[in-house]
Amino acid sequence: MKENDSMSPVIDPVIEARGLDLVFQTADGPVQALKDVSLTIGKGEFVSFIGPSGCGKTTFLRCIAALEHPTGGSLTVNGMTPDEARRKRAYGYVFQAAGLYPWRSIAGNIKLPLEIMGFSRDEQEQRVRKVLQLVDLEGFGKKFPWQLSGGMQQRASIARALAFDADLLLMDEPFGALDEIVRDRLNEEVLKLWARTGKTIGFVTHSIPEAVYLSTKIVVMSPRPGRITDVIDSPLPRERPLEIRDSREFIEIAHRVREGLRAGHGDEI
Amino acid sequence: MRNLLPVLTVVLAIVGLWYLAAVWMNATWVYDQAAREGREVFLVDLLGETMMQERPVLPAPHQVAKGLYDGLFGQAITSKRSLIYHGWVTLSATLLGFVIGSAAGILLAVGIVYNRAMDQSVMPWAIASQTIPILAIAPMIIVVLNSMGVTGIVPKAIISAYLSFFPVVVGMVKGLRSPDAMQLDLMRTYNASGGQSFAKLRLPSSMPYLFASLKVGVAASLVGTIVGELPTGAVAGLGSRLLSGSYYGQTVQIWAALFAAAALAAGLVALIGLAERVVLQRMGLVR
């Protein structure tokens, strides 16, 4: 695979992982969650991590967020250790479930990180208005989470991650629990958001079309031990209408991803 | 209103059974009395005489109602016979005890959730404290505090707090631990301090649990206060009404005091329920 990332130079790297290992000590003995993972993510890239359950894609994202701590290798975020980056609030994290606080309105939920980070009240109001517009939820600030559909809740949780000035957005299967139609719409919106904000995005997914449609770089991973089997730099243009999914290039990339996933499984299938 | 019929049916059934039991339990005295006077007892006499005795084994409902009415409205409220006077004595100690107990319960719960040593050491003691019969420990608390010069409602309030802190600890520990791993991770990604996670996540999450345990706690507080009033020599309070009633065989007085205590407990629980509704509604947790 000549596109393999560790070979090609990346200008302005945001995330650099070299030979990353993570071993979990469990009751059934050690589990190798990540083995020798090397990857560089440049500024403004949209990187998807795809692979079956247990391949370490979420674990890798959590390592970047300093929610897990690697047991070997090196990992830097904005040139710092992940924990330093976390303390500097370098990233916004979107979980699989929206995880909005039921006792806070949508605006209140978006204010949560702003309150913690000590923004002034005026600034909070301003930012809430701005990000609600960004995720197309104007007028819903006063609603409570249970009054919104699942897709809208997830958009609110993205708004919450965008409210402060982190240049890095980490999304862990954000649309995994939503139906296909809602997911298509949200994918389009995420692309628009990415174009407008110029953020670097790390995106974990199960879905091949989602990964190919969104990413500038697709990282294919496989389980036992969790490792990278292929890194695909997408030749698709940044501007992507939904119809692009019927184009020849799209289908070719999807095919390569599928091959990578199959190869990673080896003789287990 | 649709609930009225079933509720009334149950109440009527209870009152009916009560009257039957009153006739049955008070009949012995009527027969003894009649035998002494050498007259015969007919069913009509039996029904009449079992329901208007001065010291019945089981007073009939209307006797208790009259006792309750006399106690509440038939006396000046400063009178030693007034249930309002005694009720207030009990209520004030209950409220003080409830405040102390709830505050202690919440503080202990915070300690248990945030401190590993407290987590492993406090709970067994809290559980042990509740296995000791309160009747055994109440006189000791009163005697010890009295010898230290602490009298009045404080010793009763302490006994009341002793009973009410426990449900609050259990409920609050559960409530403060109710946020799931994802919500705690979210706080971590914001680099929130311990105080911030507590104020913005753990405390609000614990509110529904807190109110549920406060309801149990306030009823326990009342029981604690009444028990605390028993060994004080029956000076004042609903507990002393119970005790003096049993000294002098004033069963009507006992039952009236019992009903007054039950009404007080129901009122307190209802007040907490109201506070719960208001708070949870303002938090958007009631749909």
Side-chain angles (χ1 to χ4, degrees), chain A residues 62 66 86-87 89 91 95 97 99 101-103 112-113 115-116 144 146 160, chain B residues 182-183 185-192 196 200-201 204-205 283-285 287:
Chain A
R62 287 173 64 84
R86 178 180 68 83
R87 275 192 228 111
R89 287 139 179 173
Y91 64 85
F95 292 88
Y101 290 1
W103 58 87
L112 176 73
E115 288 170 13
I116 289 172
F144 279 98
W146 58 267
R160 182 177 58 183
Chain B
M182 194 199 80
Q183 289 176 315
D185 277 348
L186 186 67
M187 278 292 173
R188 238 180 104 67
T189 69
Y190 300 149
N191 192 27
Q196 285 172 328
K200 295 191 189 299
L201 175 58
S205 317
M283 287 174 73
L285 292 177
R287 297 191 183 181

Side-chain angles (χ1 to χ4, degrees), chain A:
Chain A
M1 312 276 157
K2 70 178 187 347
E3 284 100 337
N4 198 320
D5 182 77
S6 55
M7 303 298 147
S8 59
V10 174
I11 317 136
D12 224 354
V14 174
I15 291 156
E16 277 200 282
R18 289 284 163 267
L20 207 64
D21 284 318
L22 177 57
V23 179
F24 285 120
Q25 299 299 338
T26 69
D28 303 329
V31 171
Q32 182 111 35
L34 293 174
K35 186 175 163 54
D36 196 22
V37 170
S38 296
L39 183 72
T40 306
I41 298 177
K43 192 167 169 44
E45 279 195 277
F46 197 128
V47 182
S48 285
F49 299 89
I50 188 164
S53 306
C55 73
K57 54 193 191 299
T58 292
T59 308
F60 183 59
L61 207 67
R62 287 173 64 84
C63 284
I64 297 171
L67 296 172
E68 304 289 353
H69 297 282
T71 45
S74 77
L75 176 63
T76 60
V77 179
N78 292 337
M80 297 172 274
T81 68
D83 217 42
E84 280 165 358
R86 178 180 68 83
R87 275 192 228 111
K88 292 226 163 107
R89 287 139 179 173
Y91 64 85
Y93 202 104
V94 179
F95 292 88
Q96 180 165 15
L100 301 169
Y101 290 1
W103 58 87
R104 281 176 175 247
S105 64
I106 296 305
N109 268 289
I110 295 169
K111 276 183 203 163
L112 176 73
L114 302 175
E115 288 170 13
I116 289 172
M117 297 175 191
F119 285 86
S120 74
R121 273 177 189 277
D122 287 349
E123 179 91 32
Q124 289 180 19
E125 296 295 340
Q126 250 174 36
R127 281 168 181 260
V128 167
R129 222 171 311 128
K130 200 183 87 187
V131 292
L132 277 179
Q133 204 177 4
L134 218 49
V135 298
D136 217 4
L137 277 180
E138 295 125 302
F140 287 94
K142 288 206 170 70
K143 296 266 191 244
F144 279 98
W146 58 267
Q147 293 170 301
L148 269 58
S149 69
M152 287 164 102
Q153 287 187 25
Q154 196 53 279
R155 282 194 339 236
S157 96
I158 293 171
R160 182 177 58 183
L162 291 172
F164 51 103
D165 297 311
D167 292 327
L168 177 60
L169 189 59
L170 303 174
M171 304 170 94
D172 182 7
E173 288 187 51
F175 311 137
L178 304 175
D179 65 66
E180 192 90 12
I181 299 161
V182 177
R183 182 189 274 233
D184 277 354
R185 253 203 80 201
L186 289 179
N187 281 344
E188 259 187 302
E189 284 186 17
V190 164
L191 272 186
K192 272 190 218 147
L193 206 80
W194 175 60
R196 261 186 286 176
T197 58
K199 289 185 193 281
T200 312
I201 299 183
F203 191 98
V204 167
T205 180
H206 265 126
S207 151
I208 296 174
E210 190 171 66
V212 178
Y213 177 62
L214 292 174
S215 327
T216 56
K217 181 181 276 179
I218 302 155
V219 178
V220 184
M221 298 182 75
S222 77
R224 283 176 296 270
R227 63 194 187 279
I228 295 179
T229 49
D230 194 7
V231 178
I232 304 162
D233 282 309
S234 171
L236 296 178
R238 286 204 159 214
E239 195 77 22
R240 298 175 187 180
L242 269 179
E243 299 81 65
I244 205 166
R245 296 190 295 186
D246 300 323
S247 74
R248 205 170 50 83
E249 284 129 310
F250 189 97
I251 292 163
E252 273 171 11
I253 305 166
H255 179 75
R256 186 170 156 194
V257 173
R258 197 170 293 115
E259 288 296 305
L261 289 173
R262 195 169 299 162
H265 257 291
D267 42 48
E268 279 179 52
I269 295 180

Side-chain angles (χ1 to χ4, degrees), chain B residues 65-80:
Chain B
K66 186 169 178 305
L68 201 56
Y69 182 85
D70 280 348
L72 289 175
F73 309 112
Q75 325 278 338
I77 55 167
T78 49
S79 157
K80 293 268 178 191

